[in-house]
Amino acid sequence: MKLSLAPAMDPSLAGCLVLLHLAVIAGWFALLTSASTSTSASGLESVRCRLQGTPRPPAFSQDGDFVIGGVFSIHYYMHTVDHSYTSMPEPLQCTGSMDSRQLRFSRAMIFAVEEINNSSYLLPGVTLGYQVHDSCNSVPMAVKVAFQLANGLDPMFDTGEQCSGSATVTAIIGESASTPTISMLRIISPFGIPQVSHSSTCACLSDKKQYPTFFRTIPSNQFQAAALAHLIRHFGWTWIGAVRSDNDYGNNGMAAFLQAAQEEGTCVEYSEAFSRTNPLSRVQRVADVIRSSTARVVVAFVSTWDMRTLLEEMDRLPSPPRQWIGSQSWVTDPGMLHFGLCAGAIGFGIQRSVIPGLRDFLLDLSLQKVSNSPLLTEFWEGGFGFVGVEEKVCDGSEDIQQLQVPYTDTSQLRVTNMVYKAVYAIAHAIHSIVCEERGNSTVNCDKNLNVKPTQVLERLRRVNFSRNGYQVSFDANGDPVATYELVNWQRRESGKMKFVTVGRYDASLVPDQRLDIEKEITWVKNSTQVPVSVCSESCPPGTRKAIQKGKPVCCYDCIQCGEGEISNNTDSSDCLICPEEYWPNAERDQCILKPVEFLSFHEVLGIILTACSVGGACLAIATATIFYCHRTSAIVRANNSELSFLLLFSLTLCFLCSLTFIGRPSEWSCMLRHTVFGITFVLCISCVLGKTIVVLMAFRATLPGSNVMKWFGPPQQRLTVVSFTFVQALICTLWLVLSPPFPIKNLTTYKEKIILECDVGSAIGFWAVLGYIGLLALLCFVLAFLARKLPDNFNEAKFITFSMLIFCAVWITFIPAYVSSPGKFTVAVEIFAIITSSFWLFFLLFVPKCFIILFRPEKNTKKHLMEKTSNDIRY
């Protein structure tokens, strides 16, 4: 017989099982060495085997054609004995108080057997028997029971082969706890005896390589762990505490839960394991951890007996309110309802069911039945308070109907129904072997058929039936379909606690539909507000989580998103960068379109520049009108009226061209603004240059023998202006053809807004236009500077010199200001330079003349212009 350790087992438990397995092997060796051989009449060698030790009779038993074994943890502890190894050890005995709920389970098995025996459709004419044992919730007793169920109770028996035992039962129901179940399976699995548990939920038992003969009518902890993790996520608890029983049930169940919870993003502040058999100091330490923790939610994957021990310790000292999340083992146990500190607890339990006739059967305890059963006698005396009270005598007059204990409480038949279904599953398996059916009716059942446990094992894998509205079947792992009720501990008006089903969980549905909460839940402290249990408060939109160093991922600080980033969800791990043309709002929880900025006609700066531009153009037009009206006057004729009118026209265009720089940039406005500006300014400077050359030529012509004026008459002046302007027009044309200016969205100058501006396209073209204007202005300045000391009031070279000086100064300072000004102010600087230089040209060249024409007409004579008086104003 091969023995192996269960997976995912606590080291101390594994050590105990190793010793246990060694003891089992030694027991089998002793059994074999105590066997004697003989030869039967048929000539086959017969082996006579003798059981070691004293057999322990079952708590309840009945003979039948096929016997079903039952193992339940009716008592809490097993009596421990110090072995002297000088005499035979005493038989193993149970001790401690009785769990009347487990007694109800065992009686429910008997009820199901008797119900089947009276059935006309299931195993008609066949009688089922039973042997029900108390395992004392201990591994050694469970192992002893397993041996007895495999070998029987006869101290001596014969076998035709070896002392491998001849199973006295066809199947076994039990055990209530996972660890004893595992120990039993190590014994009975090699014989192929199927074991159907009603309460062992350890996920490790689904491993068919290790436990091929195991089935259960209760869902695996794997499903319960997933359901608990789903529940934790549903209520937003990300910071929890965890306690578990230090056995296969608790360790495996909690391991599955923690894995599922981690996948759901839940963090665990602590995870403590304990057992009721641990020293009290260990239990106290676990209780202190729960009291001092910051997690307000505690998940307890604990067996009923261990949970009772922990809660008794928690009750000893004042404890802060905690929201308890319970596993099925204790959260639906009526015997736990007196612990007030668990008020508001929730957890998943097996579906509550109704078993017709069970309550009447449980309460049908006659005096004879009680007196014939030591177990029922103990229950009766304990239930009615006869234990330890000498003056009270049990006479059978007690009314069990008035007894308020878990045994008589059939309002919460959950695990009890699992026992009931297990009996019927085995009965259906036997029925499919011994009975013949035609259609929907049973023809014949052969009760004398030798049914082997392996046959029952094979048929159990295929059972599929419905009983009292509950479907019974097993998957490939021997597990049923996982469905749970969400149970809430709520206080009655009387102050007592009760179980209230507030929802359901169906593992067969899609994940988002598995949990269905149907009623309002009463939480800890009788509150209807869902408790909050987080390590850190949720980070609002606009922030991101930054994990605190050395702490779980659920402990974090909320950091505001950086510049240009947003987070639009609560508890965002990262911030999102806004698209290029978007920018975060003030809360940084959404990206909004960046405001588009350009120099508009509607803003103050645009209005001022527009007014200056239009005002300058109006002044130039008004001056041209004055000149036209006084075109025959001496001062107008003396200042080359043709070039003056052309200059006034170009100045008007210079003022107006600045308007093309205001408004939303477009392809046409970008090309127009620079080319118009370049050509009009060259036209203006060309006219000034022509006037300067005329002044120089005029005074050279006064020298004896000079005829230079015939080479610079009006035709030559016009040709000079046209030639200079044509060169600029050619430069602009090449610029527009090769790489014209175009509108762009400037996203780099300001991160929070978009600047609409014109890109010059070709920097060479742009600076060539400006350079050409500067070259003409410099040439004009030089010529005017040479003519500054010419005689007569006719001399306007000084004003041209001064105007060109200011013009050059304006445009020289324009260059660094243009390069360094951001956004729309770049355009404003350029407009300012255009208007400023135009106004200076206008004021210095035309205002003095207009002043004489309008206010000093006496000086507007040829005589006055020809005077060489140094004190007079020279024009």
Side-chain angles (χ1 to χ4, degrees):
M1 179 171 60
K2 180 181 179 181
L3 299 176
S4 60
L5 292 177
M9 194 172 297
D10 185 78
S12 61
L13 180 60
C16 293
L17 285 180
V18 169
L19 294 176
L20 172 64
H21 295 153
L22 291 176
V24 170
I25 294 171
W28 278 103
F29 181 77
L31 180 65
L32 292 175
T33 55
S34 63
S36 60
T37 61
S38 62
T39 303
S40 63
S42 60
L44 295 175
E45 185 177 346
S46 175
V47 179
R48 187 169 182 79
C49 299
R50 178 168 57 88
L51 292 178
Q52 295 290 325
T54 304
R56 186 168 179 265
F60 306 105
S61 65
Q62 174 182 294
D63 292 333
D65 301 317
F66 305 101
V67 179
I68 302 175
V71 186
F72 302 92
S73 301
I74 299 175
H75 284 85
Y76 290 132
Y77 299 101
M78 184 185 72
H79 178 64
T80 56
V81 179
D82 292 332
H83 297 289
S84 62
Y85 301 100
T86 59
S87 61
M88 290 291 292
E90 297 178 5
L92 298 178
Q93 297 293 333
C94 295
T95 186
S97 58
M98 174 187 291
D99 187 347
S100 65
R101 181 167 172 254
Q102 291 283 333
L103 178 62
R104 189 213 309 153
F105 297 163
S106 64
R107 295 278 294 162
M109 174 184 169
I110 298 171
F111 167 76
V113 170
E114 292 187 2
E115 192 176 61
I116 293 169
N117 288 339
N118 295 324
S119 171
S120 60
Y121 79 94
L122 185 62
L123 292 174
V126 177
T127 302
L128 292 180
Y130 54 82
Q131 290 185 17
V132 178
H133 292 265
D134 182 4
S135 69
C136 312
N137 192 34
S138 66
V139 171
M141 185 65 79
V143 170
K144 181 176 181 63
V145 169
F147 275 123
Q148 288 191 188
L149 292 175
N151 297 321
L153 300 177
D154 295 333
M156 301 291 292
F157 59 90
D158 295 330
T159 178
E161 298 175 357
Q162 294 180 344
C163 292
S164 59
S166 177
T168 61
V169 294
T170 55
I172 298 174
I173 295 175
E175 213 268 351
S176 299
S178 296
T179 298
T181 299
I182 292 173
S183 301
M184 291 180 63
L185 287 168
R186 302 295 187 190
I187 305 302
I188 64 174
S189 287
F191 303 115
I193 303 174
Q195 181 173 351
V196 184
S197 177
H198 59 283
S199 183
S200 298
T201 56
C202 179
C204 58
L205 290 167
S206 297
D207 185 356
K208 287 299 146 187
K209 291 184 178 180
Q210 293 199 65
Y211 313 108
T213 64
F214 179 76
F215 299 85
R216 53 184 156 199
T217 52
I218 190 171
S220 164
N221 276 347
Q222 191 71 33
F223 300 105
Q224 185 177 190
L228 290 172
H230 192 115
L231 184 71
I232 295 294
R233 184 195 66 177
H234 178 81
F235 291 111
W237 298 319
T238 59
W239 187 240
I240 63 171
V243 292
R244 67 187 187 276
S245 290
D246 195 6
N247 54 26
D248 293 286
Y249 170 78
N251 292 328
N252 286 278
M254 183 57 73
F257 166 74
L258 293 180
Q259 181 179 357
Q262 186 177 10
E263 293 173 356
E264 299 285 2
T266 304
C267 298
V268 179
E269 182 181 5
Y270 59 87
S271 181
E272 297 291 332
F274 72 98
S275 173
R276 71 187 187 284
T277 58
N278 289 147
L280 182 60
S281 59
R282 174 74 177 272
V283 181
Q284 290 175 342
R285 189 181 68 82
V286 174
D288 291 339
V289 169
I290 296 173
R291 293 189 187 102
S292 61
S293 68
T294 58
R296 295 187 60 190
V297 174
V298 183
V299 178
F301 225 109
V302 184
S303 65
T304 300
W305 308 280
D306 291 341
M307 194 65 186
R308 183 176 284 108
T309 303
L310 176 63
L311 293 180
E312 288 172 352
E313 175 59 31
M314 293 288 294
D315 264 342
R316 193 176 58 85
L317 295 174
S319 300
R322 292 289 182 262
Q323 178 61 52
W324 291 90
I325 311 298
S327 61
Q328 179 273 329
S329 176
W330 68 271
V331 82
T332 56
D333 186 352
M336 303 291 291
L337 285 175
H338 66 279
F339 289 104
L341 62 88
C342 287
I346 58 173
F348 291 105
I350 306 305
Q351 283 185 303
R352 187 173 52 179
S353 58
V354 176
I355 304 177
L358 177 62
R359 178 172 176 80
D360 293 336
F361 177 81
L362 293 176
L363 300 182
D364 183 20
L365 293 180
S366 63
L367 184 61
Q368 182 179 0
K369 286 183 180 179
V370 173
S371 60
N372 290 340
S373 170
L375 203 59
L376 292 177
T377 299
E378 181 184 350
F379 161 70
W380 194 276
E381 292 177 348
F384 289 105
F386 295 111
V387 178
V389 182
E390 296 181 359
E391 59 271 15
K392 294 185 68 175
V393 179
C394 177
D395 56 8
S397 62
E398 298 78 18
D399 186 5
I400 194 173
Q401 298 276 356
Q402 304 301 320
L403 195 60
Q404 299 295 322
V405 292
Y407 174 84
T408 60
D409 183 9
T410 57
S411 63
Q412 298 285 331
L413 296 180
R414 300 178 188 274
V415 180
T416 304
N417 191 42
M418 300 299 103
V419 178
Y420 185 76
K421 292 198 295 186
V423 177
Y424 267 87
I426 295 172
H428 274 271
I430 297 173
H431 180 92
S432 65
I433 299 171
V434 303
C435 297
E436 295 181 9
E437 293 187 355
R438 290 181 184 175
N440 295 326
S441 60
T442 302
V443 177
N444 180 41
C445 294
D446 185 2
K447 64 181 180 180
N448 297 317
L449 190 66
N450 182 20
V451 177
K452 296 181 179 179
T454 52
Q455 293 177 280
V456 179
L457 173 65
E458 181 61 32
R459 296 303 175 97
L460 269 174
R461 296 190 177 105
R462 293 180 285 178
V463 296
N464 191 346
F465 64 94
S466 179
R467 181 65 183 172
N468 293 337
Y470 302 101
Q471 192 68 25
V472 180
S473 62
F474 303 105
D475 63 15
N477 296 322
D479 295 323
V481 176
T483 55
Y484 297 99
E485 289 182 349
L486 183 61
V487 178
N488 183 212
W489 290 24
Q490 297 184 6
R491 287 191 183 275
R492 294 189 177 99
E493 294 181 359
S494 62
K496 292 184 177 181
M497 225 96 69
K498 65 176 180 178
F499 295 131
V500 177
T501 300
V502 295
R504 302 184 185 281
Y505 182 89
D506 189 344
S508 64
L509 301 177
V510 295
D512 292 341
Q513 299 177 5
R514 289 175 181 173
L515 180 63
D516 180 23
I517 297 179
E518 304 165 344
K519 296 181 182 179
E520 185 178 32
I521 299 175
T522 300
W523 302 100
V524 63
K525 299 173 66 174
N526 206 33
S527 171
T528 57
Q529 187 71 27
V530 178
V532 177
S533 185
V534 294
C535 182
S536 300
E537 294 295 331
S538 294
C539 289
T543 61
R544 64 174 179 85
K545 296 192 296 185
I547 305 302
Q548 295 177 2
K549 187 176 181 180
K551 292 187 177 181
V553 294
C554 298
C555 301
Y556 47 79
D557 297 316
C558 297
I559 307 297
Q560 188 178 34
C561 290
E563 195 174 59
E565 298 178 337
I566 66 152
S567 64
N568 51 11
N569 293 320
T570 302
D571 288 335
S572 294
S573 299
D574 296 298
C575 294
L576 305 174
I577 299 176
C578 286
E580 197 174 39
E581 296 187 7
Y582 289 79
W583 191 253
N585 59 355
E587 293 77 18
R588 300 194 180 183
D589 58 359
Q590 63 176 331
C591 292
I592 57 176
L593 276 171
K594 291 180 180 179
V596 178
E597 186 178 85
F598 56 88
L599 187 59
S600 169
F601 287 104
H602 304 292
E603 59 182 294
V604 175
L605 183 58
I607 293 173
I608 293 174
L609 293 175
T610 300
C612 292
S613 175
V614 175
C618 292
L619 286 175
I621 294 172
T623 301
T625 303
I626 293 172
F627 268 48
Y628 181 77
C629 293
H630 298 83
R631 62 186 179 278
T632 58
S633 64
I635 196 167
V636 174
R637 295 179 64 186
N639 281 277
N640 197 331
S641 60
E642 185 175 344
L643 284 180
S644 294
F645 282 115
L646 189 58
L647 179 58
L648 285 170
F649 173 71
S650 64
L651 280 173
T652 302
L653 294 180
C654 286
F655 281 119
L656 293 178
C657 80
S658 62
L659 296 178
T660 62
F661 289 83
I662 304 174
R664 190 182 188 93
S666 63
E667 291 186 9
W668 284 104
S669 67
C670 287
M671 291 189 291
L672 188 64
R673 65 174 59 172
H674 290 99
T675 53
V676 170
F677 156 70
I679 293 174
T680 55
F681 258 77
V682 165
L683 178 61
C684 178
I685 301 301
S686 298
C687 293
V688 175
L689 183 60
K691 290 172 69 69
T692 305
I693 294 174
V694 167
V695 171
L696 287 174
M697 294 301 105
F699 279 95
R700 277 188 179 275
T702 59
L703 297 177
S706 176
N707 59 351
V708 72
M709 281 304 296
K710 75 175 184 178
W711 299 106
F712 204 76
Q716 288 79 13
Q717 294 172 17
R718 297 188 197 101
L719 181 62
T720 301
V721 172
V722 170
S723 299
F724 285 135
T725 306
F726 176 76
V727 173
Q728 183 72 309
L730 181 62
I731 294 174
C732 290
T733 301
L734 292 174
W735 182 16
L736 293 178
V737 171
L738 298 177
S739 182
F742 57 91
I744 62 167
K745 294 179 179 180
N746 185 345
L747 303 171
T748 57
T749 302
Y750 296 103
K751 295 180 179 179
E752 69 280 4
K753 58 186 176 182
I754 299 174
I755 305 298
L756 286 183
E757 60 186 17
C758 290
D759 189 283
V760 296
S762 171
I764 296 176
F766 175 72
W767 292 110
V769 168
L770 291 182
Y772 185 67
I773 295 174
L775 179 63
L776 292 181
L778 181 61
L779 179 61
C780 186
F781 171 75
V782 171
L783 294 178
F785 181 78
L786 294 176
R788 71 189 187 283
K789 294 184 179 181
L790 293 177
D792 297 331
N793 293 333
F794 176 78
N795 184 12
E796 63 177 358
K798 289 184 179 180
F799 296 103
I800 294 175
T801 303
F802 194 45
S803 66
M804 287 298 102
L805 182 62
I806 294 176
F807 182 89
C808 292
V810 168
W811 285 99
I812 289 173
T813 55
F814 157 77
I815 294 174
Y818 178 84
V819 173
S820 60
S821 297
K824 63 182 180 181
F825 297 104
T826 303
V827 178
V829 166
E830 193 167 358
I831 296 174
F832 180 78
I834 293 172
I835 294 176
T836 302
S837 57
S838 299
F839 267 115
W840 277 111
L841 283 174
F842 173 77
F843 281 124
L844 290 174
L845 296 180
F846 292 100
V847 170
K849 299 178 179 65
C850 290
F851 180 79
I852 291 176
I853 292 172
L854 297 176
F855 303 107
R856 298 288 181 87
E858 71 276 6
K859 293 184 179 182
N860 189 9
T861 61
K862 184 176 181 181
K863 179 182 177 182
H864 177 74
L865 294 175
M866 298 303 293
E867 286 181 354
K868 298 182 180 179
T869 305
S870 60
N871 294 329
D872 292 338
I873 300 176
R874 297 176 180 179
Y875 307 98

